[in-house]
Short mmCIF file of all heavy atoms in Angstrom, two decimals:
data_model
loop_
_atom_site.label_atom_id
_atom_site.label_comp_id
_atom_site.label_asym_id
_atom_site.label_seq_id
_atom_site.Cartn_x
_atom_site.Cartn_y
_atom_site.Cartn_z
N VAL R 1 80.99 110.33 101.91
CA VAL R 1 81.51 111.74 101.94
C VAL R 1 81.98 112.02 100.47
O VAL R 1 82.81 111.36 99.96
CB VAL R 1 82.63 111.96 102.95
CG1 VAL R 1 82.91 113.43 102.95
CG2 VAL R 1 82.20 111.44 104.35
N ASN R 2 81.40 113.12 99.85
CA ASN R 2 81.77 113.49 98.54
C ASN R 2 81.67 112.37 97.52
O ASN R 2 82.52 112.25 96.59
CB ASN R 2 83.25 114.08 98.52
CG ASN R 2 83.45 115.40 99.17
OD1 ASN R 2 82.45 116.06 99.52
ND2 ASN R 2 84.63 115.88 99.24
N GLY R 3 80.72 111.51 97.82
CA GLY R 3 80.39 110.53 96.81
C GLY R 3 81.22 109.21 96.95
O GLY R 3 81.08 108.31 96.10
N VAL R 4 82.10 109.19 97.91
CA VAL R 4 82.83 107.99 98.17
C VAL R 4 82.56 107.40 99.58
O VAL R 4 82.20 108.22 100.47
CB VAL R 4 84.38 108.21 98.01
CG1 VAL R 4 84.70 108.56 96.55
CG2 VAL R 4 84.94 109.31 98.91
N LEU R 5 82.83 106.14 99.77
CA LEU R 5 82.60 105.58 101.12
C LEU R 5 83.96 105.53 101.83
O LEU R 5 84.95 105.04 101.39
CB LEU R 5 82.14 104.13 100.96
CG LEU R 5 81.93 103.39 102.30
CD1 LEU R 5 80.55 103.87 102.99
CD2 LEU R 5 81.83 101.81 102.07
N VAL R 6 83.88 106.25 103.01
CA VAL R 6 85.09 106.28 103.84
C VAL R 6 84.90 105.30 105.01
O VAL R 6 83.81 105.43 105.75
CB VAL R 6 85.31 107.74 104.44
CG1 VAL R 6 86.50 107.78 105.29
CG2 VAL R 6 85.50 108.71 103.17
N ARG R 7 85.89 104.51 105.28
CA ARG R 7 85.89 103.59 106.41
C ARG R 7 87.29 103.38 106.94
O ARG R 7 88.27 103.82 106.26
CB ARG R 7 85.18 102.25 106.00
CG ARG R 7 85.91 101.42 105.01
CD ARG R 7 85.39 100.00 104.89
NE ARG R 7 85.89 99.32 103.72
CZ ARG R 7 87.04 98.82 103.64
NH1 ARG R 7 87.98 98.87 104.67
NH2 ARG R 7 87.37 98.05 102.57
N GLU R 8 87.34 102.62 108.02
CA GLU R 8 88.74 102.37 108.58
C GLU R 8 89.38 101.30 107.68
O GLU R 8 88.81 100.34 107.11
CB GLU R 8 88.64 101.82 109.93
CG GLU R 8 88.15 102.87 110.96
CD GLU R 8 88.01 102.37 112.40
OE1 GLU R 8 87.19 101.40 112.56
OE2 GLU R 8 88.66 102.89 113.35
N MET R 9 90.70 101.40 107.61
CA MET R 9 91.52 100.42 106.86
C MET R 9 91.56 99.13 107.60
O MET R 9 91.71 99.13 108.85
CB MET R 9 93.00 100.98 106.60
CG MET R 9 93.75 100.04 105.67
SD MET R 9 95.54 100.65 105.51
CE MET R 9 95.25 102.19 104.76
N THR R 10 91.47 98.03 106.90
CA THR R 10 91.50 96.70 107.51
C THR R 10 92.81 95.95 106.94
O THR R 10 93.49 96.43 106.04
CB THR R 10 90.34 95.86 107.16
OG1 THR R 10 90.31 95.57 105.77
CG2 THR R 10 89.00 96.58 107.55
N ALA R 11 93.05 94.83 107.57
CA ALA R 11 94.31 94.06 107.20
C ALA R 11 94.08 93.60 105.68
O ALA R 11 95.17 93.48 105.04
CB ALA R 11 94.43 92.86 108.10
N GLU R 12 92.89 93.34 105.35
CA GLU R 12 92.70 92.90 103.94
C GLU R 12 92.93 94.08 102.93
O GLU R 12 93.11 93.81 101.78
CB GLU R 12 91.20 92.48 103.74
CG GLU R 12 90.90 91.15 104.50
CD GLU R 12 90.82 91.26 106.00
OE1 GLU R 12 90.56 92.40 106.41
OE2 GLU R 12 91.07 90.29 106.67
N ASP R 13 92.99 95.30 103.43
CA ASP R 13 93.20 96.45 102.44
C ASP R 13 94.65 96.71 102.26
O ASP R 13 95.04 97.46 101.29
CB ASP R 13 92.56 97.71 103.10
CG ASP R 13 91.03 97.70 103.26
OD1 ASP R 13 90.40 96.97 102.43
OD2 ASP R 13 90.55 98.26 104.18
N VAL R 14 95.47 96.22 103.18
CA VAL R 14 96.83 96.72 103.19
C VAL R 14 97.60 96.41 101.88
O VAL R 14 98.32 97.23 101.30
CB VAL R 14 97.61 96.05 104.39
CG1 VAL R 14 99.13 96.22 104.20
CG2 VAL R 14 97.09 96.63 105.73
N ASP R 15 97.42 95.18 101.33
CA ASP R 15 98.11 94.89 100.07
C ASP R 15 97.73 95.78 98.97
O ASP R 15 98.58 96.21 98.14
CB ASP R 15 97.93 93.41 99.76
CG ASP R 15 98.79 92.92 98.52
OD1 ASP R 15 100.06 92.97 98.74
OD2 ASP R 15 98.29 92.66 97.51
N THR R 16 96.38 96.03 98.79
CA THR R 16 95.92 96.80 97.75
C THR R 16 96.50 98.24 97.91
O THR R 16 96.97 98.91 96.91
CB THR R 16 94.42 96.88 97.79
OG1 THR R 16 93.91 95.50 97.52
CG2 THR R 16 93.84 97.86 96.60
N VAL R 17 96.42 98.83 99.08
CA VAL R 17 96.88 100.22 99.30
C VAL R 17 98.41 100.26 99.02
O VAL R 17 98.86 101.25 98.47
CB VAL R 17 96.50 100.72 100.73
CG1 VAL R 17 97.19 102.07 101.01
CG2 VAL R 17 94.98 100.76 101.00
N ALA R 18 99.07 99.30 99.51
CA ALA R 18 100.63 99.33 99.24
C ALA R 18 100.92 99.33 97.71
O ALA R 18 101.91 99.95 97.32
CB ALA R 18 101.23 98.05 99.87
N ARG R 19 100.11 98.56 96.93
CA ARG R 19 100.39 98.50 95.50
C ARG R 19 99.95 99.86 94.73
O ARG R 19 100.56 100.18 93.72
CB ARG R 19 99.70 97.35 94.90
CG ARG R 19 100.32 96.03 95.35
CD ARG R 19 99.66 94.82 94.76
NE ARG R 19 100.31 93.64 95.24
CZ ARG R 19 101.39 93.08 94.74
NH1 ARG R 19 101.94 93.70 93.70
NH2 ARG R 19 101.93 91.90 95.16
N ILE R 20 98.79 100.49 95.13
CA ILE R 20 98.37 101.57 94.42
C ILE R 20 98.89 102.98 94.85
O ILE R 20 98.82 104.03 94.42
CB ILE R 20 96.80 101.73 94.47
CG1 ILE R 20 96.34 101.99 95.80
CG2 ILE R 20 96.24 100.46 93.80
CD1 ILE R 20 94.81 102.18 95.81
N LEU R 21 99.66 102.93 96.08
CA LEU R 21 100.31 104.02 96.63
C LEU R 21 101.31 104.70 95.73
O LEU R 21 102.19 104.07 95.22
CB LEU R 21 101.01 103.72 97.94
CG LEU R 21 101.70 104.78 98.73
CD1 LEU R 21 100.70 105.76 99.31
CD2 LEU R 21 102.51 104.06 99.95
N PRO R 22 101.08 106.07 95.37
CA PRO R 22 102.09 106.68 94.54
C PRO R 22 103.51 106.59 95.04
O PRO R 22 103.75 106.59 96.24
CB PRO R 22 101.62 108.15 94.49
CG PRO R 22 100.21 108.06 94.85
CD PRO R 22 100.05 106.95 95.85
N PHE R 23 104.46 106.48 94.11
CA PHE R 23 105.84 106.29 94.56
C PHE R 23 106.38 107.39 95.43
O PHE R 23 107.05 107.17 96.43
CB PHE R 23 106.77 106.21 93.28
CG PHE R 23 108.22 105.91 93.71
CD1 PHE R 23 108.63 104.60 93.82
CD2 PHE R 23 109.12 106.90 93.85
CE1 PHE R 23 109.98 104.34 94.24
CE2 PHE R 23 110.46 106.69 94.17
CZ PHE R 23 110.89 105.40 94.36
N ASP R 24 105.91 108.67 95.21
CA ASP R 24 106.40 109.76 95.97
C ASP R 24 105.94 109.76 97.43
O ASP R 24 106.50 110.44 98.36
CB ASP R 24 106.03 111.13 95.34
CG ASP R 24 106.92 111.35 94.06
OD1 ASP R 24 108.04 110.84 93.98
OD2 ASP R 24 106.46 112.10 93.19
#
């Protein structure tokens, strides 16, 4: 969608998302 791949979050994604999540 809009040039990016959208899929469900997995347990393997959690650490990456937690680290790149904006502070706000």
Side-chain angles (χ1 to χ4, degrees):
V1 183
N2 284 358
V4 296
L5 180 72
V6 178
R7 62 166 171 76
E8 292 179 302
M9 187 183 297
T10 67
E12 290 73 25
D13 300 325
V14 167
D15 187 67
T16 298
V17 174
R19 290 181 180 278
I20 65 175
L21 182 64
F23 183 86
D24 286 338

